[in-house]
């Protein structure tokens, strides 16, 4: 059975997208996820800054990986990166 692998996952800040991007492996392929700054600060109710978004991502990385798995099972990936873009309403809908 194929499953998502975040073991060697890296994350980085995407200035243009204003989001944290992170990668994961699935069935031998690498996929890029992005979760917007607004999602990270609104959902966790912190200041609307890049620093707080990154801190929220780091603090809740396990929950975000779990959300990415559930999200990817419900949506087809985009052809271009990011393959999956997680927005604020997705965090609410999936109860991040």
């Amino acid at each position: 059975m194929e499953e998502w692998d975040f073991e060697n996952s890296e994350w980085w800040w995407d200035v243009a997208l204003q989001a944290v991007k992170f990668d994961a492996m699935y069935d031998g392929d690498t996929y890029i996820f992005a979760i917007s700054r607004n999602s990270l600060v609104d959902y966790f109710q912190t200041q609307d800054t890049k620093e707080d978004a990154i801190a929220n991502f780091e603090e809740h990385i396990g929950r975000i990986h779990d959300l990415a798995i559930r999200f990817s099972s419900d949506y087809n990936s985009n052809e271009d990166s990011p393959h999956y873009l997680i927005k604020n309403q997705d965090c609410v809908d999936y109860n991040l």
Side-chain angles (χ1 to χ4, degrees):
M1 174 167 78
E2 296 117 3
E3 58 184 57
W4 287 99
D5 179 4
F6 293 94
E7 185 174 332
N8 296 312
S9 179
E10 295 183 9
W11 66 266
W12 61 96
W13 181 257
D14 184 304
V15 175
L17 195 57
Q18 289 294 294
V20 174
K21 285 185 172 178
F22 57 99
D23 60 359
M25 297 291 295
Y26 185 83
D27 194 26
D29 294 320
T30 301
Y31 291 86
I32 306 298
F33 291 84
I35 184 165
S36 69
R37 182 195 80 237
N38 288 342
S39 300
L40 290 165
V41 297
D42 287 353
Y43 190 82
F44 294 110
Q45 299 180 355
T46 57
Q47 294 293 315
D48 190 8
T49 67
K50 170 187 167 184
E51 292 75 22
D52 282 340
I54 290 171
N56 289 335
F57 179 84
E58 290 176 324
E59 183 176 344
H60 302 283
I61 195 166
R63 291 173 61 187
I64 292 167
H65 286 170
D66 290 343
L67 167 62
I69 292 168
R70 290 183 290 150
F71 186 81
S72 66
S73 70
D74 289 340
Y75 295 97
N76 292 326
S77 63
N78 297 316
E79 288 189 28
D80 297 319
S81 176
H83 300 106
Y84 297 98
L85 176 59
I86 300 169
K87 298 180 181 175
N88 191 39
Q89 189 59 47
D90 302 316
C91 294
V92 172
D93 292 345
Y94 287 86
N95 194 23
L96 172 63

